[in-house]
Amino acid sequence: MQRTPFYIKHLEAGAKMVDFAGWEMPIHYGSQLQEHHDVRTDAGMFDVSHMTILDLEGADAKPFLLKLLANNVDKLKESGKALYSCMLNEQGGVIDDLIVYYLTDTKYRIVVNAATREKDIAWMNEQLKPFNATLTFRSDLAMIAVQGPNARDKVLGMMPAHEVAIAEPLKHFYGAFINDWFIARTGYTGEDGFEMMFPATQAPKVWDALLAAGIKPIGLGARDTLRLEAGMNLYGLDMDETTSPLTSGLGWTIGWQPAERDFIGRKALEAEKAAGVQQRFVGLVLTGKGVLRSHMKVVCSQGEGETTSGTFSPTLKESIAFARIPAGTETECQVDIRGKLQSARIVKPNFVRFGKSVLDV
């Protein structure tokens, strides 16, 4: 079992530790529900050091990413700008979803998922062979996310003035280097905040400083309810190598233009589109009894589908889910919960933003 540089700090904070993709990680520190509300109303910190940080450098770094990723890195013109993308196989299935930060035309930083690390690095290195660039796994770095309406103010309040001058002006989905740190205004909760990467040797000191600033530790349990409320997919549940972005609510991440860019999986996606996409990715709000979970059967007017992620939303106080259902289905469906069909409303797969419901927006 692998451990992050914050492991001892988790134990000191009273964490209940669990196995997550081969990592010993905190599921909660006493109350998953309270941790969820802490992030929605104040600020919380998440150890995300199990995520994989990769640096791509070389003359062919951009051409490589133009081939590798479904989204178009040529859109990135300003240093620090981030792009969310899927990395596809030839069949259009999602190998992983990731964030790539543009530093220069010959240097990028990429963050991929923990559970797919070995698969991702092997795939990327195989595709890299014809290109003049190198991929470096930054195992020397730790990563922590601070999220919530007060997250930025609390983090900026810890910084000296010359660092604040770099971090404070960052727009959403931008990052910047501050000495040997990389700080980005990104996250996985639907709240504002920062994700920070820094030398792993500094992790205990950073944790203590964040605690002293009134930022509470948050476990994987609340991270999952927060991301689901925010309409953010989880790899392995909401998409994988058997599903395409077009059936995973990620059509917006495909960079179709220019038409001559031949990214991996493009031909398969074009064929799927031309034939008519058979499924749609939606949000569900349960109006019947029970709690929505993953892999529940969904009965629709056009046939059957399945929930991919589901939970009770602490913010909305309703049961919510993502689901993959037949195209053409209208606004209502039923979900099989323990052998009984319960009614659900079909909505956009996005429930909460900045602490507020977006269901009827």
Side-chain angles (χ1 to χ4, degrees):
M1 192 81 69
Q2 299 182 81
R3 293 172 175 174
T4 78
F6 294 103
Y7 175 75
I8 297 299
K9 292 299 175 183
H10 295 316
L11 298 184
E12 289 176 1
K16 180 184 179 185
M17 306 298 284
V18 297
D19 177 5
F20 179 77
W23 290 81
E24 206 166 350
M25 297 294 291
I27 189 73
H28 61 71
Y29 299 85
S31 170
Q32 177 180 325
L33 185 62
Q34 185 56 50
E35 290 164 28
H36 180 106
H37 290 311
D38 286 340
V39 175
R40 286 279 180 251
T41 60
D42 185 14
M45 59 177 169
F46 305 77
D47 175 10
V48 285
S49 301
H50 59 308
M51 302 286 280
T52 306
I53 303 168
L54 304 167
D55 282 344
L56 176 70
E57 293 184 73
D60 288 345
K62 183 189 277 191
F64 168 64
L65 291 176
L66 288 171
K67 179 72 174 178
L68 182 77
L69 302 181
N71 213 336
N72 187 358
V73 297
D74 208 32
K75 294 187 281 193
L76 305 177
K77 305 297 184 187
E78 298 176 82
S79 184
K81 183 71 175 81
L83 184 75
Y84 175 70
S85 181
C86 292
M87 180 168 64
L88 308 178
N89 57 28
E90 294 289 1
Q91 295 74 41
V94 182
I95 293 173
D96 201 8
D97 64 328
L98 54 84
I99 289 181
V100 55
Y101 296 93
Y102 170 81
L103 304 174
T104 70
D105 280 347
T106 59
K107 186 170 183 179
Y108 296 80
R109 174 159 285 183
I110 305 166
V111 181
V112 303
N113 285 303
T116 51
R117 171 182 297 174
E118 291 180 9
K119 176 182 76 167
D120 287 1
I121 293 175
W123 173 261
M124 293 164 88
N125 279 324
E126 182 63 29
Q127 308 311 314
L128 191 57
K129 286 177 179 177
F131 296 91
N132 179 19
T134 57
L135 192 68
T136 305
F137 170 34
R138 295 300 304 274
S139 58
D140 58 315
L141 298 178
M143 187 173 173
I144 200 162
V146 183
Q147 304 279 292
N150 299 326
R152 286 179 69 246
D153 286 345
K154 288 190 172 185
V155 171
L156 293 169
M158 298 163 51
M159 293 179 167
H162 68 281
E163 294 182 0
V164 171
I166 298 170
E168 189 171 31
L170 285 173
K171 293 179 281 188
H172 287 285
F173 242 59
Y174 277 81
F177 277 99
I178 302 176
N179 301 319
D180 54 359
W181 283 49
F182 186 76
I183 181 167
R185 197 172 171 187
T186 51
Y188 192 50
T189 62
E191 298 294 335
D192 206 349
F194 292 122
E195 291 181 311
M196 301 176 286
M197 308 169 210
F198 46 85
T201 53
Q202 298 178 25
K205 184 175 68 175
V206 171
W207 180 275
D208 289 343
L210 292 169
L211 267 185
I215 299 167
K216 298 180 179 69
I218 311 296
L220 291 174
R223 187 170 184 249
D224 193 52
T225 55
L226 289 160
R227 69 92 193 166
L228 180 46
E229 285 187 347
M232 295 177 175
N233 288 28
L234 176 64
Y235 188 81
L237 275 185
D238 305 312
M239 70 289 201
D240 57 29
E241 291 191 45
T242 69
T243 62
S244 85
L246 296 173
T247 60
S248 305
L250 298 172
W252 62 275
T253 70
I254 303 168
W256 295 107
Q257 300 300 323
E260 61 271 16
R261 184 174 73 92
D262 185 26
F263 61 84
I264 298 168
R266 178 172 192 135
K267 289 182 178 62
L269 295 186
E270 288 177 337
E272 184 180 8
K273 214 173 165 189
V277 180
Q278 298 299 302
Q279 296 174 305
R280 55 191 281 234
F281 191 79
V282 300
L284 301 181
V285 179
L286 189 66
T287 52
K289 294 180 179 179
V291 177
L292 295 174
R293 302 293 184 197
S294 58
H295 305 302
M296 286 180 165
K297 183 169 73 174
V298 182
V299 180
C300 309
S301 59
Q302 304 294 316
E304 292 184 357
E306 186 181 52
T307 58
T308 58
S309 288
T311 192
F312 181 80
S313 162
T315 304
L316 301 176
K317 295 182 171 51
E318 294 183 274
S319 192
I320 61 173
F322 295 150
R324 195 172 279 110
I325 63 174
T329 301
E330 302 298 327
T331 58
E332 303 287 334
C333 64
Q334 292 181 304
V335 183
D336 185 336
I337 301 178
R338 295 181 179 177
K340 292 187 177 179
L341 291 178
Q342 301 289 347
S343 297
R345 182 159 60 108
I346 298 170
V347 299
K348 291 178 182 177
N350 185 7
F351 306 94
V352 175
R353 266 291 189 276
F354 302 118
K356 301 219 170 9
S357 170
V358 293
L359 284 177
D360 299 312
V361 175

